[in-house]
Amino acid sequence: LISTELVSTTGEFVSRIFEEMDYTNEANNCQLFAELYSEHAGNSTDVSVVVPRIYPEYCTENVLVMEWIDGKKLTDVGSDDEDEAVAENLELIRQSIDSTLSQLLVTGVMHADPHAGNLLKIRRDDGSVALGYLDFGILSTIPERVRDGLTCAVALQVFERDADAVASLFGELMLIPQEVLDDDGERSALAEALEVTFEESLLYPDAGAGGGDGGDEAATGIPVLKFDKLLDALSRLVPRFRFDLPPYFINNARALSTLEGIAKGLDPGFNVLEIMYPYALGRLLRNPSGSPVVERTVQALIRDGEGRVDRSRIRRVLRDSALISNKSRRRVVW
């Protein structure tokens, strides 16, 4: 980071440490998380996980009293039941990524540190397993505008490989001052830098990889995301384009990178974009916020280079959602 950002970054880091040490804050965070995502009382339609009950009458700034939950780390695999345990743990990792993406893109309230020690495999009495969360010292809150921008960026890059369109969304993502984006020279330089970044961090399949290359009957080829290379490349762009990385951006990137790392440890072929892309398409098609940015992105996906509605592109968008999410195209539309 450039020196002018060092003081604010250090201040943010220190404030987060004190925030995590305040157990009254953690108790409130845990109760909020449970209200949204608990399998017993949560109101989310996408996420249902085990959240420990808090006993607020016994909690203070220095004391946190919560329900005891028996479980194992998702990285714990014994030799006696290795195959079964790996399959169970990998499924729970997929659930945790689904959960994280729903928190990131749908509700905007997100557990900021879902590492292996904070995610549990819980064995129920009937032998089934459930995903449990611990440690609620920090919850990230993602503005709706940013959620919409992330949705559009993922869809545009995977479906269109359009780095210039992604660059135009950096204002929505609240990562770069608007005056930088309003400068044609800087905007062009940003698009070129993102093109290089995506070349380094996205590995597309050889055939049928986006842009309709696979023909009308082919779904979009989902690239493999190299998370470490993406974060490294973006960090190098910080001083050049006056990036302002808010805490939730860093927390979200760390959360997804951590979960992907756990998943790849169990299954080297795991690709987080195969989960993230359908989430983005689903939110685009629903546009729950009524965002004009989302609407423009949908129009960009379904129109050809001359601005005319292209039925083959419409079918491809619906086919991507249907094939990847295992839903019929009719159900995707409705």
Side-chain angles (χ1 to χ4, degrees):
L1 294 176
I2 55 178
S3 58
T4 53
E5 299 294 331
L6 187 58
V7 173
S8 60
T9 302
T10 303
E12 176 63 34
F13 175 75
V14 172
S15 67
R16 289 287 168 167
I17 290 178
F18 281 101
E19 183 179 340
E20 281 209 75
M21 293 172 62
D22 183 351
Y23 288 150
T24 300
N25 176 70
E26 181 165 354
N28 292 335
N29 284 348
C30 184
Q31 290 177 308
L32 172 59
F33 196 85
E35 290 171 6
L36 290 170
Y37 309 121
S38 169
E39 64 177 3
H40 299 300
N43 56 35
S44 170
T45 58
D46 298 316
V47 180
S48 179
V49 297
V50 176
V51 182
R53 177 187 173 189
I54 293 291
Y55 296 89
E57 63 271 27
Y58 302 116
C59 296
T60 69
E61 289 185 9
N62 302 309
V63 177
L64 180 64
V65 181
M66 64 172 64
E67 174 188 9
W68 178 268
I69 295 179
D70 283 315
K72 293 183 178 180
K73 294 181 180 179
L74 297 185
T75 51
D76 288 349
V77 178
S79 58
D80 294 337
D81 58 346
E82 184 172 349
D83 292 341
E84 180 180 358
V86 166
E88 285 181 343
N89 290 13
L90 187 57
E91 176 56 32
L92 289 178
I93 286 293
R94 291 182 184 275
Q95 288 182 27
S96 68
I97 293 177
D98 277 336
S99 172
T100 296
L101 291 174
S102 179
Q103 294 167 42
L104 172 62
L105 299 177
V106 180
T107 62
V109 177
M110 181 178 173
H111 191 293
D113 195 18
H115 61 71
N118 291 338
L119 297 172
L120 294 180
K121 176 170 74 173
I122 299 169
R123 181 77 60 182
R124 294 192 176 99
D125 293 338
D126 63 1
S128 64
V129 293
L131 177 66
Y133 276 78
L134 300 175
D135 188 358
F136 302 91
I138 297 179
L139 295 185
S140 293
T141 302
I142 300 94
E144 188 167 62
R145 171 185 174 184
V146 174
R147 285 180 270 152
D148 288 335
L150 281 170
T151 297
C152 296
V154 171
L156 284 167
Q157 186 56 36
V158 174
F159 190 91
E160 290 280 85
R161 302 199 202 181
D162 192 342
D164 184 67
V166 174
S168 71
L169 292 168
F170 270 54
E172 295 301 315
L173 295 172
M174 301 170 66
L175 294 177
I176 291 181
Q178 190 61 44
E179 59 264 26
V180 174
L181 295 174
D182 290 340
D183 184 309
D184 291 341
E186 287 295 276
R187 160 74 181 279
S188 177
L190 175 62
E192 292 176 5
L194 288 178
E195 188 74 46
V196 173
T197 295
F198 294 142
E199 288 177 1
E200 294 176 351
S201 58
L202 295 175
L203 179 62
Y204 281 90
D206 291 334
D213 295 341
D216 181 41
E217 295 305 316
T220 299
I222 309 299
V224 174
L225 173 61
K226 301 176 181 178
F227 233 119
D228 56 341
K229 292 187 178 295
L230 176 63
L231 296 179
D232 178 63
L234 288 177
S235 68
R236 285 186 269 116
L237 299 182
V238 169
R240 169 64 180 83
F241 296 103
R242 294 165 52 194
F243 273 36
D244 180 16
L245 299 180
Y248 58 76
F249 182 89
I250 298 171
N251 290 337
N252 299 344
R254 181 180 63 179
L256 286 172
S257 178
T258 298
L259 291 172
E260 185 202 39
I262 298 173
K264 282 187 174 294
L266 298 171
D267 176 10
F270 180 84
N271 183 7
V272 69
L273 274 181
E274 290 182 353
I275 301 176
M276 194 168 188
Y277 178 53
Y279 253 99
L281 282 183
R283 185 173 174 85
L284 276 179
L285 295 176
R286 293 193 305 273
N287 193 8
S289 65
S291 165
V293 175
V294 171
E295 177 59 29
R296 288 197 298 271
T297 299
V298 172
Q299 294 299 318
L301 295 183
I302 66 173
R303 294 180 183 272
D304 62 21
E306 297 180 358
R308 296 174 299 198
V309 173
D310 186 330
R311 292 183 179 180
S312 67
R313 291 171 70 89
I314 293 175
R315 286 194 293 269
R316 189 168 141 229
V317 168
L318 296 178
R319 186 176 295 112
D320 283 356
S321 293
L323 291 179
I324 301 172
S325 62
N326 294 319
K327 295 179 179 178
S328 69
R329 277 183 280 182
R330 183 180 299 274
R331 186 178 175 193
V332 168
V333 173
W334 290 104

